Structures are given as C-alpha cells and as structure tokens.
Amino acid sequence: MGDMTNSDFYSKNQRNESSHGGEFGCTMEELRSLMELRGTEAVVKIKETYGDTEAICRRLRTSPVEGLPGTAPDLEKRKQIFGQNFIPPKKPKTFLQLVWEALQDVTLIILEIAAIISLGLSFYHPPGESNEGCATAQGGAEDEGEAEAGWIEGAAILLSVICVVLVTAFNDWSKEKQFRGLQSRIEQEQKFTVVRAGQVVQIPVAEIVVGDIAQIKYGDLLPADGLFIQGNDLKIDESSLTGESDQVRKSVDKDPMLLSGTHVMEGSGRMVVTAVGVNSQTGIIFTLLGAGGEEEEKKDKKAKQQDGAAAMEMQPLKSAEGGDADDKKKANLHKKEKSVLQGKLTKLAVQIGKAGLVMSAITVIILVLYFTVDTFVVNKKPWLPECTPVYVQYFVKFFIIGVTVLVVAVPEGLPLAVTISLAYSVKKMMKDNNLVRHLDACETMGNATAICSDKTGTLTTNRMTVVQAYVGDVHYKEIPNPSSINDKTMELLVNAIAINSAYTTKILPPEKEGALPRQVGNKTECGLLGFVLDLKQDYEPVRSQMPEEKLYKVYTFNSVRKSMSTVIKMPDESFRMYSKGASEIVLKKCCKILSEAGEPRIFRPRDRDEMVKKVIEPMACDGLRTICVAYRDFPSSPEPDWDNENDILNDLTCICVVGIEDPVRPEVPEAIRKCQRAGITVRMVTGDNINTARAIAIKCGIIHPGEDFLCLEGKEFNRRIRNEKGEIEQERIDKIWPKLRVLARSSPTDKHTLVKGIIDSTHTEQRQVVAVTGDGTNDGPALKKADVGFAMGIAGTDVAKEASDIILTDDNFSSIVKAVMWGRNVYDSISKFLQFQLTVNVVAVIVAFTGACITQDSPLKAVQMLWVNLIMDTFASLALATEPPTETLLLRKPYGRNKPLISRTMMKNILGHAVYQLTLIFTLLFVGEKMFQIDSGRNAPLHSPPSEHYTIIFNTFVMMQLFNEINARKIHGERNVFDGIFRNPIFCTIVLGTFAIQIVIVQFGGKPFSCSPLQLDQWMWCIFIGLGELVWGQVIATIPTSRLKFLKEAGRLTQKEEIPEEELNEDVEEIDHAERELRRGQILWFRGLNRIQTQIRVVKAFRSSLYEGLEKPESRTSIHNFMAHPEFRIEDSQPHIPLIDDTDLEEDAALKQNSSPPSSLNKNNSAIDSGINLTTDTSKSATSSSPGSPIHSLETSL
C-alpha cells in the first residue's frame, strides 16, 4: 500500500536489520504485511507463519504477562529496528520557498516590471546635451533635484514589493510554527497504559515500542497496531479506518488484529504492539495524505477521481493542459482553486494594469507628437545627425513620464492591504478560537453559503446528562429535589447506578476553574453518575464498600441484551441484581414498580402501555434517550442458575426511568440563527438515529416546524441519488440538497458525497461555497473536498486536522460564526482600501496625464507622488485593514463569486470624490496664484527653487486624501463615517501620524520633495479644502445609486456563460486568472471590451437597489422599490432566510412580508415551541426506531 512512500524509512531500517539480523524473530516488513490482513486471513497467516500469538511474543522477546523489561538499551534497539511511535510531520516550507510563493502575485509582477524599467531609465544619460542648435522645446523643465531623484521612484517601488513579500512570507511561516506548537502540545498530553517489567505504567504515546504489552479498555483510542492476546468482550469501532459503523468483535482465535486510530467500544484486554508510527495503519494513511510529497498528490488525485463519470471527463483535460498543470499543483497543494477574493483581485489588477498601460501609451504618444510637430513643423527645424542623441534623450524623457503614469496607476498598496488584512484577521481569530492553517480559508469563509456540521461535540456538548426522570409515580421535567424522593428509593437508586456500571467510568473534578467536571469512560454511565451527583449523593463510598472484585456476576452490555446487569451478594447471603438498559426492553421484564412510599407495587402490562404513552414517548420526542433502572432480589438457596439468562432477567422491580440527552451547547441556537440571517444554510450530518437528530435540529433551530425541508437517513439518501446501476448522478443530488437539512445515520462517504454534490452543483446561479466540520479520521476526505474544512481541536484526530483549513480550538460551533464574520470583514476591508486607493490613483493619473500634456511637467513631482502612493497607501492599508468586524456584517447575504469587488456604490464614491479632487486641483493649478496672491508655479524657469504654488497643490492633495480615508471606512453608502472610529486605535494613530509627517515634509522637505514652507493661512485653506471631502461624501451618499445605470463595476469573476470548460470541472485547479489572461494576451483587448458590454447587460437593477435598500435605513423608499422587484423572489434559493436584514427595518418589513412565504424571524421563534409536539406522531418512540439504536448507539457516540 504505502511501500513507495516509506522507502526512505525502510532504507534506514534495512541496514539496521542486517546488523541485528538475529535479534528478533521477525522483521518489520513481515509484521507490517501481517497487519494489513483482516479477520480469518490474519488468523490463518499467524498459524502458518508463527504458530500463535504467544510465539509472536516470544519472537519479539516480550512476555504476555510481564511485558518488556523496559531497560534503556533494549528500548533504544527496538526504536532503531521497528521505528518510533510518532509520525514525522510534513517538512515545513523553508522561508525562501515561502518568499518565492509570495512573489507569484500578478500585481507584484506588474510592479516589479514597472520598477525595473523606471530604474533602468533613470540611469540613462545620453551625450550631446550641449548642442544649442537642436530643439529647445520646453520639455526640459526638470530641475536637478528631479533628475537625481529619478532612481528613487523605481527603488521605492521595489522596496514596497520586498516589504509585501517579506510580510507575506513571515506570516505564513509564523502560522506554520504556531500550528506545530499546538500539535506538539497535544501530542505530549496523550498517555497510554502498558505493562513493563510486571508493573502497569502510563507512558506517553510516543514512547510505545514494538513488543510492548498494552492494556486496552473501554473508550481508548489505540495508539499503535497490535495483536489481541487476552481479554473479554472486546469490541472495536473501526469506522475511522474503514468507514463501517458496525462494531467489530475481537477474539484471539477469530480476529486478533487491533489497528491504531480505532476506538475500543466495549470490554478490555491486552495487546502486543506489532507496528508503530509510520508503519501502523494510520501512519500509512498519513503518509498518503502528503507527508510523502508529490507522488502522494497524484495518488490522492486518482482516488478523488474514482467518481465514475467524473473520472472519464478528467483524462482528456489533463493531457490537454500538459506540463503546466503539474507545477501549479505543487504551488498550491492545499487548495483546489484560488479563493474568491484572490480571483477577483487578480482580475482587478489586470484590469487596472491594462487601463494604466493605455493611459501611459496615450501620454507618450501625445508628448512625442507635440514635440515633433512643435520642433519640425512649427519651427521648421531640420533633423540634424548630431542632434539625434538629444532627440533620443527627449523621447526617453517622454517614456519615463509614461512609465510614471503607469506606476501611479497600479495600486501598490493592494497586495500589502490584502496581506495585512489577512494576517491581522488570523492573529485575532486565534483569540476567537480559530487556528487558521491556510490564509485564504479565512476569506473564503466570508463567502460560505452552506455549512455541513457534525452533531456530537460541535452542536452538542458531547456530555450525556439526565434531564428528566420518572421516580415514585412522578414525572419530573427537570432534576428532582432530593428531598422529594423517598429515602429507600434513593438508596436503591444510588446503589443501582454506582455498582451496575463500569468502575472505570468516573466523573472527575474539572481541570481548570469554571470548566465542567470531566467525564471519563462510557458517556451514558457518566450521565447516570452525574444524576447521582445532582441528587446531592455520592457514588464513591458505595463503590469502595463493594469493590470490583467482590461483584458476584456481571452481564456486560451488548447490542442483543441492550442492558447491563450486575449481581452482588448481600450481607445475609442472598443475592441482589441491579439492571439498567433501554427502557422499552427493561420495562417489559418488570412486574413491579416502586411507589411514592418506596414500596414495590404490581406493574401490569396495561400500566406499562400507559407509562410508554405518558412518559417514554414524550421523552423520546424531546430527543431524549430513555433508560430504565431496575433491581431484583434472589434467595440464597437454591442458588439460581446464572447462565439461564431468560429466567434471571425477569420479574424485575423498576426503580426509575430517566431521559438522557447530549444537550445542545447553549450558544448554538443563537449562532445558527445568525448564520441563517447571514444567508448561510446549516445542515446537520450525524451518525445518530433520525429522531434524536430531528429533535436536536429543532432545538438548534436548523429546522423550524412547518417549513419545507428534508430529514433523510443515509440509506434513503443513497437510494435517492443513485441510478439503477448504482452510480451517483449529479442531477439527482440537485433535487435533494436544496431542501436537505438533516442527514442521519450517515457514513463518512455520504458526507463526502453530499459535500461534493453541493459544490459541483450548477443548480443555483452562484456556485455554492461549502464549509464542513469534522473530527474523525473518516472525515478527512470531506474536509479536504470542502472549500473550508474545520477540524475540532480537542476531539479531532490528527488526520482530520491535517486535512482541515481552520482548527476550532474550543470545538464550538459559535466559533464558526466568528470565522464567517472575520472572513466578511477581510473582504470588506479590502473593498474599503480599494475605494480609497483607486480614488487616489484616478486623480493622480489624470493630474499626471493632463499636467504632462498641457504644461509638459506634472504638477505633482515623482517623489511627492511616491509619498502619496506608497507611504500613505501602505499606512492607509494598515488603517483600513485593521477595522474590527461588527455584527452588522452578518446581516447581509454572502457576496458569491459573481459579485464584483467594486460595487456600483463604491464606483459612485470613487468617481464622485475624484471629480471633487480634480476640480479643486485644476482650479488651484490654473488660478491658484491669483487666489493666494503668489507667484505662479507654472512654466517656471529651469532650476528655480520649488514654488509655493505647487506646494499648496501638493498639500491640498494630501489633505483631501487624509479626509477621504475617513470616508473610505464605509462602503455601502452609510451616512455616519465616524461610526466606531475609536474602536480602531490603529486608524486614529495612522491618520494623525500621516498628518504630522505631512507638516514636516511641507515645512522642511525642501528640494528633494520640491516643497517650500507655507504660511498658517495657506495651511488653513488646505485643511479646509480637505474637510470639504467629508461634506462632499454626504452629498454623494444622497445620490441614489440605482439612477447611475452607466457605472461599470470592476473586478467581478467571470459570468457563467464565460467560464471555459476546464473551469467548470471542479477537480482541475481553477486556472489562475492571471496566467490565463497572460496566455491569451492577444484576445485580451477584444475580450475586455466584450466583457464591459456583457457586464452592463448583466448588472441587474435589482442588485443595486437591494443592497442600497438594506444599507440606508433613511431611504425607506428603496425598500418599496426593492420589494417590487420580482427577480428577487426568484433569486433567493433558500426561502426561509428573512429578506430584510436590517434590524431597524424588521417591524416595517414583517408587515409587508406576511403575505410572502419567507416568514420573519420572530414567527419562527414562536413556532419552535409548538414544533415539539408536531414531531410526536412521526416517531412512535425514538428509541425503538432502529434495531441497533438506543443504548447501543449511545456507546457508539463516544
């Protein structure tokens, strides 16, 4: 299976084995191939090769009773030959590799090229400057300061690129380190019981060696592969390796193979360890998951493609793509495709790059034409050969101006903003219990449209607790008051629970203050013991009085009996048997019941039927598992025939019936409500039976009674999605998943099928973005397949963590909601930054362009541009990217893949502010000297000192940017831009800091910055014009976006009709947009034009009106026109999400909505209470629903 992958481990071991040839009677190879067999094959192989398990112990030089001698040299030798019991982690990427990966960004590549050209040109000084006879166009108005500072531009850009790359790489690196820290912490905590030199000791799992005799008991997770040597009633849940949910019975003569990573479900025993670490079964799977690198990747891909039809379509595509697919695979091993945001950003960067290129080309052409016409046509100068160098120099200068325009056009701050935003979020998410392993997962989470969650441990606390009880003829809906229970009954109850349960099951004090007490052992029994503690009694004294060895006979729990009984000898030599089990089984065997006074009274079949109706069914409908506790006394002589079970387990006296549940975590219903408000469908995928699942789903608010939804069991689900041949069909899945809310009794494969089905579905207009939570090894495939995989940090297995993107360190569903909030926040932060940055760029480009064309000299000098473009924007990205998320982010639908990065509202803001800034700058440029009574800075002679005129222009420009930065904090057209500004200290610091630096630059910048100091009143005017930005922002907010149909949005991902074949196919990586763009360079221009047209066609009116309607509570009208849009009804694929997300509009809208199907939230809440009785008739009795269910499944739900 994994021979290829582990070859390097072997090569070491082979050498050792040749030297220690005769040390042990079997090699690692033999043992490992032995462990790959199952059941009878294994028994036969052991018989043929070794004789029996004793013989294997002898060969491994260990004693089944005494264990290993445990001497250091012996252990060392075993580790050398058979390996250590730990799986070497994947080699972390080196810092340089991370740097190289960060450099692949398109925006960065465009910047690098521009910077290098600009640097190269700044050092080019052609000869022939002195020749007077040549042209004297006033293009040469450039002072030495500028000429010397030419290189600064290029260098600064390169510096910014280096900055971005280092920040990105450092982030990834520290994240990786954090993750490894967490892993090692978890690994050191795991201990296991082994026998060494006759002593039972607990050692860390990593210290276990081949030949150790390990003691295994109920509830253990096996740390290594081994052979069962002795024990009783051992049953193992091997679902984490095989995906089969049935428990496997182990016995020395039928199936002695115990595999690492599986759970012990019943019984206890001893095993001899035969394979550890990478040679154990889990280890082999692990190496397949990618500790082994490239060839694994391919295996993994192959495995994924075994989906029948999908595999057929894949082959030709692979060959068509040829070599480059492989390199890309290595580049992003962890994710199937670029995250939504990356795709849009790349797209936007390419769009802006193209626009910049066009602008710079036009600038160069105009300058060259102006120069040639002016020199050769107007002044009729001949072209002299000795003048050629001079002309060339002019042309080079024009080219440099062109490059400057291009550089100004490209948003340098963008990659940095993205990086900072993600890094900041990841840091903060750590505090919210999300350990993010892959940066982009954080942002993808903001676009999630579906979450498939486990039930046990995620939605529920994974702690069984008694919540209802029927004692002494009274049905208590909560834990009864101890005083209300008769003393005799109480004593019997405490004894029955304390003695008739595994003594390994305990409730220990909590590990840290404020935590819940720890439950050890069987969860159901812990629930019962907890009940004893809740009744203010103690089970420890009872157990110490009647220690385990004194128990006379024990009938252990199994799926046939569905009950457990323990017989003890009373002081007067008579016997008493305590019994507990599924109520419908145990009650049938009761003929008496304890009354209120604690006296047994007759219990007839008709009493039993009434009890089932009045007590057990109501409990079952609340999703409780009912357990009956009973007892029976036997005379001392004649001693009963203990082996005749049917006679013994009869004529019982019922003490009480309790309802046990795994309670829903208190914060879950609220979290799920938030998800549904945010347009995310939550689905529950669980192994539990369908009644419990449905009851829990109602309690969580996943389903609301009276809605149209499906709850399926795994079998039924599979029946519905497969055709006659048993193949899975996508269109069949499409019929089911939109309504499916609960999938019960599901296997890991079902989970994977569901996730894949939802992701591949083309049923909705947006491709669904699916998040999955999982904790078992078996959830690995689903976690890897999902867009975002959440693994449980506490309950999760290593395999699950390895396959996941985010680890929930507190295993709590509400942390997922936090992740959604952060993801959306990242997206919004980037949009805010873009809104700010693009305003600067539009203005700067137009100023540089017109300036160069009209006055042949840009009013904003290169160094000044740089200060605005690089430094201010870098800080702005810091300021805007660190806005903390607010709950309002959860009030909107996910953006989806086709929503453009720059919405119409943002486009309106960008252009609106650009108009304001340009008007003022050009006013200042052409009539500024008259307003301020200063010398004009235009056509100043060569080498003149910097003029006040141009300084005022520069200063005003910066002030406008500063105040516009505050405007940029809101992107949905909100009025109050100062809202929550003091919650973000970074923002305030940066705005004030930038202001201070600006003062220094203007007053003391001098020649390098081409500034001359300004008077106080001039400063006041600059600030006043800047403040005008805020007022203007309010003016813009008043213009309804819906009127501005002509505004184009930018940075949207391709529409459906435009997605090429290979992209629709999920398993092929979505080809990097940029690479595709570059590959088809020639078509680009036409396509760009086409796309603009398609977009203008496609931009649906409803979209803008919907968003604006939600965002401006003032403009009530927009709600009416948005309600009037018929398209909206069709678009909304999940009808139960309230359409109006803004809280202030809640009441207003609820009135209007009564007619339409989606019910508003408060209606649902009132429906929940009535919902519980609605489900009564569906389940006659939750427990009897399936043969293997009640307590049995309780043991499984460990």
Side-chain angles (χ1 to χ4, degrees):
M1 181 175 165
D3 306 327
M4 302 263 312
T5 51
N6 294 337
S7 51
D8 47 333
F9 293 109
Y10 290 160
S11 50
K12 291 197 214 92
N13 294 321
Q14 242 68 48
R15 285 201 299 282
N16 294 337
E17 270 168 36
S18 49
S19 56
H20 302 291
E23 289 284 347
F24 298 105
C26 38
T27 64
M28 187 176 73
E29 290 287 78
E30 292 170 6
L31 286 175
R32 190 170 136 181
S33 53
L34 172 66
M35 290 319 289
E36 280 175 9
L37 303 173
R38 301 274 180 277
T40 39
E41 301 172 24
V43 180
V44 174
K45 171 92 168 156
I46 293 174
K47 280 225 170 65
E48 286 173 1
T49 322
Y50 305 103
D52 60 359
T53 41
E54 295 277 320
I56 294 185
C57 291
R58 281 198 296 281
R59 290 195 183 196
L60 287 173
R61 308 245 174 126
T62 177
S63 135
V65 188
E66 298 285 307
L68 292 178
T71 57
D74 176 55
L75 295 177
E76 207 37 59
K77 192 158 62 191
R78 284 173 193 273
K79 280 187 190 166
Q80 264 181 346
I81 295 182
F82 296 110
Q84 298 187 350
N85 193 24
F86 86 100
I87 292 168
K90 253 197 232 156
K91 266 215 281 310
K93 292 195 171 120
T94 58
F95 192 66
L96 286 174
Q97 275 170 310
L98 291 171
V99 167
W100 179 244
E101 278 180 21
L103 277 171
Q104 309 300 315
D105 188 82
V106 187
T107 330
L108 289 182
I109 294 173
I110 298 178
L111 278 178
E112 284 156 27
I113 295 170
I116 290 166
I117 294 177
S118 150
L119 262 181
L121 293 181
S122 68
F123 294 120
Y124 173 75
H125 289 303
E129 291 180 12
S130 53
N131 196 327
E132 285 303 310
C134 303
T136 55
Q138 67 276 59
E142 176 177 15
D143 50 52
E144 312 107 90
E146 277 281 280
E148 276 139 33
W151 59 274
I152 294 184
E153 177 100 4
I157 296 173
L158 280 182
L159 194 72
S160 89
V161 169
I162 291 168
C163 243
V164 171
V165 168
L166 288 180
V167 171
T168 314
F170 182 72
N171 257 314
D172 289 346
W173 182 74
S174 63
K175 222 173 42 254
E176 189 67 19
K177 222 173 73 175
Q178 232 171 11
F179 176 63
R180 290 190 188 280
L182 185 86
Q183 276 304 77
S184 58
R185 203 175 72 228
I186 293 171
E187 275 156 19
Q188 278 143 20
E189 284 166 6
Q190 294 173 321
K191 290 223 166 32
F192 208 78
T193 319
V194 296
V195 182
R196 285 199 177 160
Q199 296 291 316
V200 177
V201 287
Q202 286 229 330
I203 57 168
V205 170
E207 296 293 313
I208 293 177
V209 293
V210 170
D212 256 325
I213 303 295
Q215 284 204 340
I216 51 180
K217 59 175 190 315
Y218 182 90
D220 283 339
L221 177 68
L222 300 183
D225 291 356
L227 296 174
F228 185 47
I229 42 183
Q230 60 103 42
N232 49 9
D233 250 2
L234 188 69
K235 289 205 181 149
I236 305 278
D237 169 17
E238 293 192 347
S239 62
S240 61
L241 279 178
T242 57
E244 291 297 323
S245 52
D246 294 336
Q247 298 175 10
V248 186
R249 191 184 200 106
K250 299 290 180 186
S251 61
V252 182
D253 45 357
K254 294 221 176 58
D255 182 0
M257 312 312 265
L258 300 174
L259 306 174
S260 59
T262 57
H263 280 96
V264 183
M265 282 317 195
E266 274 182 43
S268 58
R270 292 184 168 195
M271 73 169 187
V272 55
V273 176
T274 54
V276 292
V278 277
N279 307 307
S280 68
Q281 294 302 304
T282 313
I284 292 169
I285 294 181
F286 235 112
T287 30
L288 288 183
L289 260 185
E294 264 62 90
E295 71 263 72
E296 267 58 70
E297 241 306 284
K298 294 195 190 95
K299 277 190 201 165
D300 205 43
K301 281 267 181 283
K302 273 198 207 95
K304 268 194 194 161
Q305 282 164 27
Q306 243 92 76
D307 290 350
M312 302 297 297
E313 303 158 15
M314 301 297 304
Q315 272 25 67
L317 279 177
K318 275 276 189 298
S319 52
E321 282 199 46
D324 62 355
D326 267 24
D327 313 329
K328 247 172 275 156
K329 214 176 284 167
K330 282 183 205 119
N332 56 2
L333 274 179
H334 67 265
K335 252 331 187 195
K336 278 93 44 197
E337 50 182 88
K338 298 186 76 164
S339 75
V340 186
L341 183 66
Q342 278 174 323
K344 291 181 181 178
L345 280 176
T346 308
K347 194 90 182 234
L348 189 68
V350 172
Q351 283 177 343
I352 294 177
K354 284 190 279 194
L357 263 174
V358 175
M359 286 296 273
S360 55
I362 296 176
T363 314
V364 174
I365 293 168
I366 290 182
L367 285 171
V368 170
L369 281 178
Y370 185 91
F371 176 76
T372 42
V373 168
D374 190 59
T375 313
F376 303 121
V377 180
V378 182
N379 297 341
K380 301 194 176 43
K381 292 241 167 96
W383 178 296
L384 301 170
E386 64 266 27
C387 282
T388 310
V390 183
Y391 295 144
V392 168
Q393 189 184 4
Y394 272 120
F395 291 144
V396 168
K397 180 170 183 279
F398 297 147
F399 186 59
I400 291 181
I401 292 179
V403 172
T404 314
V405 172
L406 173 63
V407 167
V408 168
V410 179
E412 298 85 342
L414 194 53
L416 192 62
V418 179
T419 312
I420 290 176
S421 188
L422 284 172
Y424 172 77
S425 303
V426 169
K427 275 242 178 335
K428 290 285 192 216
M429 281 169 83
M430 239 346 246
K431 290 203 179 73
D432 282 340
N433 303 312
N434 283 302
L435 174 71
V436 181
R437 295 188 56 219
H438 299 136
L439 259 188
D440 51 5
C442 154
E443 167 269 321
T444 312
M445 202 48 222
N447 281 313
T449 53
I451 297 176
C452 295
S453 170
D454 272 355
K455 176 179 79 78
T456 314
T458 315
L459 298 172
T460 60
T461 51
N462 199 8
R463 311 166 53 84
M464 288 294 173
T465 28
V466 173
V467 285
Q468 297 187 16
Y470 179 86
V471 190
D473 296 342
V474 189
H475 182 179
Y476 297 96
K477 289 284 199 216
E478 49 234 11
I479 302 287
N481 188 352
S483 57
S484 64
I485 296 177
N486 181 294
D487 290 345
K488 279 192 226 158
T489 313
M490 181 69 92
E491 191 192 351
L492 273 169
L493 179 63
V494 174
N495 281 333
I497 291 177
I499 294 171
N500 184 24
S501 59
Y503 278 36
T504 48
T505 303
K506 306 188 196 54
I507 293 189
L508 302 178
E511 284 177 346
K512 50 179 186 285
E513 281 296 304
L516 295 163
R518 283 180 297 156
Q519 296 188 342
V520 184
N522 179 325
K523 287 277 189 279
T524 311
E525 291 181 348
C526 284
L528 290 167
L529 290 174
F531 180 52
V532 171
L533 296 177
D534 287 339
L535 292 172
K536 309 278 183 288
Q537 308 293 316
D538 193 3
Y539 62 89
E540 287 294 350
V542 181
R543 280 186 174 178
S544 45
Q545 243 176 339
M546 176 63 63
E548 212 164 355
E549 8 340 326
K550 280 209 195 151
L551 300 180
Y552 197 82
K553 168 129 184 88
V554 179
Y555 299 93
T556 56
F557 180 91
N558 70 23
S559 44
V560 182
R561 287 191 195 114
K562 287 208 195 304
S563 65
M564 169 180 180
S565 311
T566 306
V567 181
I568 57 170
K569 218 171 181 156
M570 303 296 278
D572 61 358
E573 296 295 311
S574 66
F575 300 101
R576 174 173 285 174
M577 176 180 78
Y578 292 117
S579 232
K580 69 162 191 271
S583 55
E584 71 270 23
I585 307 271
V586 179
L587 275 178
K588 282 199 183 97
K589 303 188 170 147
C590 290
C591 61
K592 297 202 182 87
I593 187 165
L594 291 184
S595 65
E596 211 171 333
E599 299 301 328
R601 64 175 166 79
I602 288 292
F603 184 62
R604 289 183 294 274
R606 66 159 187 269
D607 299 334
R608 184 169 69 232
D609 294 342
E610 191 178 345
M611 180 149 169
V612 167
K613 249 201 220 61
K614 292 267 171 60
V615 180
I616 292 177
E617 285 190 357
M619 283 189 186
C621 292
D622 288 348
L624 305 185
R625 193 170 277 152
T626 50
I627 288 175
C628 177
V629 182
Y631 77 102
R632 178 183 177 185
D633 286 328
F634 295 97
S636 53
S637 65
E639 184 167 328
D641 170 13
W642 297 116
D643 291 338
N644 183 351
E645 260 185 59
N646 289 342
D647 290 354
I648 302 286
L649 285 176
N650 228 327
D651 295 341
L652 306 175
T653 307
C654 167
I655 305 174
C656 73
V657 174
V658 292
I660 290 191
E661 72 166 347
D662 182 359
V664 172
R665 288 173 176 258
E667 58 286 309
V668 163
E670 173 61 16
I672 286 184
R673 222 192 69 235
K674 282 183 186 159
C675 282
Q676 289 168 343
R677 289 260 314 256
I680 301 168
T681 315
V682 183
R683 295 183 172 84
M684 182 161 95
V685 182
T686 172
D688 218 329
N689 72 42
I690 193 149
N691 288 322
T692 315
R694 190 185 285 121
I696 297 277
I698 289 179
K699 280 186 189 148
C700 295
I702 290 179
I703 53 184
H704 302 119
E707 268 180 15
D708 182 17
F709 56 78
L710 285 175
C711 294
L712 295 181
E713 290 206 337
K715 280 203 213 61
E716 172 67 7
F717 174 69
N718 273 312
R719 199 182 56 71
R720 290 200 192 184
I721 60 171
R722 291 172 194 276
N723 58 17
E724 295 67 58
K725 299 199 194 104
E727 294 158 350
I728 296 174
E729 285 189 353
Q730 183 64 44
E731 51 273 21
R732 286 177 185 238
I733 299 183
D734 283 349
K735 286 199 189 93
I736 295 178
W737 72 258
K739 286 186 181 172
L740 183 68
R741 291 291 176 275
V742 177
L743 184 57
R745 286 258 174 258
S746 68
S747 69
T749 3
D750 295 342
K751 194 173 189 175
H752 182 246
T753 312
L754 177 66
V755 171
K756 182 174 189 313
I758 298 180
I759 289 182
D760 291 351
S761 168
T762 48
H763 178 79
T764 47
E765 77 180 305
Q766 305 276 10
R767 162 166 135 26
Q768 295 275 314
V769 178
V770 184
V772 169
T773 66
D775 49 8
T777 310
N778 47 12
D779 292 326
L783 287 170
K784 240 186 156 55
K785 178 75 193 164
D787 295 286
V788 183
F790 286 93
M792 299 296 148
I794 304 168
T797 59
D798 294 356
V799 176
K801 287 179 189 161
E802 193 56 41
S804 71
D805 303 299
I806 297 181
I807 293 174
L808 297 176
T809 49
D810 63 346
D811 287 13
N812 192 337
F813 188 83
S814 58
S815 304
I816 298 181
V817 182
K818 294 261 175 55
V820 173
M821 224 157 79
W822 277 106
R824 294 187 169 190
N825 191 48
V826 168
Y827 195 99
D828 279 7
S829 297
I830 309 266
S831 297
K832 287 171 190 173
F833 173 71
L834 273 174
Q835 180 173 304
F836 170 73
Q837 168 95 47
L838 292 181
T839 313
V840 180
N841 285 9
V842 169
V843 174
V845 166
I846 295 179
V847 168
F849 172 74
T850 45
C853 299
I854 299 170
T855 60
Q856 313 262 298
D857 172 28
S858 171
L860 296 171
K861 301 287 184 287
V863 185
Q864 295 175 349
M865 272 319 317
L866 223 122
W867 153 243
V868 173
N869 230 344
L870 272 185
I871 324 298
M872 271 185 66
D873 289 358
T874 310
F875 283 136
S877 64
L878 240 180
L880 292 168
T882 51
E883 289 271 300
T886 56
E887 290 282 331
T888 45
L889 287 170
L890 294 176
L891 297 181
R892 63 170 175 75
K893 294 247 170 14
Y895 281 146
R897 296 183 165 256
N898 305 352
K899 172 95 169 55
L901 198 56
I902 296 176
S903 61
R904 276 248 201 80
T905 317
M906 288 170 59
M907 212 53 163
K908 176 183 76 174
N909 289 344
I910 292 174
L911 295 178
H913 287 296
V915 167
Y916 174 82
Q917 298 187 5
L918 285 170
T919 318
L920 280 164
I921 285 180
F922 284 133
T923 313
L924 286 176
L925 181 61
F926 294 113
V927 294
E929 70 271 25
K930 299 195 187 61
M931 287 160 52
F932 289 104
Q933 280 107 37
I934 44 176
D935 302 334
S936 162
R938 292 194 307 281
N939 18 11
L942 269 174
H943 311 324
S944 58
S947 68
E948 281 186 355
H949 184 189
Y950 274 18
T951 310
I952 289 180
I953 294 178
F954 165 58
N955 199 15
T956 311
F957 182 59
V958 172
M959 287 303 129
M960 292 196 286
Q961 300 323 329
L962 259 184
F963 287 102
N964 196 28
E965 197 168 319
I966 299 175
N967 274 332
R969 290 183 68 242
K970 299 287 179 244
I971 48 175
H972 295 305
E974 293 92 331
R975 288 278 177 181
N976 182 4
V977 288
F978 292 103
D979 180 35
I981 193 164
F982 295 113
R983 276 210 308 277
N984 186 358
I986 303 185
F987 185 87
C988 305
T989 325
I990 283 176
V991 170
L992 295 172
T994 322
F995 186 63
I997 301 176
Q998 176 64 14
I999 296 180
V1000 174
I1001 289 181
V1002 171
Q1003 299 304 76
F1004 311 107
K1007 203 83 187 256
F1009 279 99
S1010 340
C1011 285
S1012 89
L1014 297 181
Q1015 314 294 313
L1016 188 62
D1017 59 329
Q1018 293 167 338
W1019 264 103
M1020 283 305 148
W1021 274 106
C1022 294
I1023 295 175
F1024 176 69
I1025 295 174
L1027 273 168
E1029 269 289 330
L1030 294 175
V1031 182
W1032 185 248
Q1034 295 301 315
V1035 176
I1036 295 180
T1038 325
I1039 306 170
T1041 314
S1042 41
R1043 297 286 153 72
L1044 308 173
K1045 290 278 187 296
F1046 57 88
L1047 284 185
K1048 171 185 173 308
E1049 299 143 321
R1052 77 162 40 197
L1053 278 188
T1054 34
Q1055 299 307 194
K1056 270 246 166 56
E1057 63 270 18
E1058 232 182 51
I1059 299 181
E1061 284 299 63
E1062 68 245 321
E1063 230 177 292
L1064 281 171
N1065 213 310
E1066 226 276 327
D1067 277 307
V1068 181
E1069 271 93 318
E1070 194 175 274
I1071 301 170
D1072 190 331
H1073 279 293
E1075 286 169 39
R1076 193 174 334 107
E1077 299 276 6
L1078 302 176
R1079 232 182 282 160
R1080 317 189 188 146
Q1082 318 81 24
I1083 324 172
L1084 259 181
W1085 299 93
F1086 305 115
R1087 241 176 131 214
L1089 293 171
N1090 269 344
R1091 190 172 301 151
I1092 293 171
Q1093 289 154 6
T1094 353
Q1095 274 167 357
I1096 292 171
R1097 274 204 308 275
V1098 176
V1099 171
K1100 302 190 188 77
F1102 109 88
R1103 218 182 233 149
S1104 52
S1105 51
L1106 162 63
Y1107 276 101
E1108 266 41 87
L1110 300 186
E1111 285 146 12
K1112 299 199 287 269
E1114 289 86 349
S1115 54
R1116 283 284 158 109
T1117 49
S1118 55
I1119 291 229
H1120 301 281
N1121 50 23
F1122 127 62
M1123 288 302 285
H1125 271 284
E1127 307 100 311
F1128 182 67
R1129 294 283 329 113
I1130 301 158
E1131 294 235 353
D1132 185 8
S1133 60
Q1134 297 121 342
H1136 68 279
I1137 296 168
L1139 302 185
I1140 306 284
D1141 295 4
D1142 236 333
T1143 29
D1144 4 4
L1145 307 177
E1146 194 76 80
E1147 304 78 38
D1148 178 273
L1151 305 175
K1152 276 191 235 116
Q1153 278 184 337
N1154 285 344
S1155 51
S1156 66
S1159 54
S1160 60
L1161 288 174
N1162 33 10
K1163 273 199 260 162
N1164 287 346
N1165 293 346
S1166 53
I1168 288 180
D1169 318 0
S1170 59
I1172 294 166
N1173 7 354
L1174 292 186
T1175 52
T1176 317
D1177 40 9
T1178 53
S1179 57
K1180 261 288 131 290
S1181 146
T1183 25
S1184 56
S1185 61
S1186 68
S1189 93
I1191 305 207
H1192 171 51
S1193 58
L1194 206 122
E1195 316 279 11
T1196 339
S1197 67
L1198 234 193

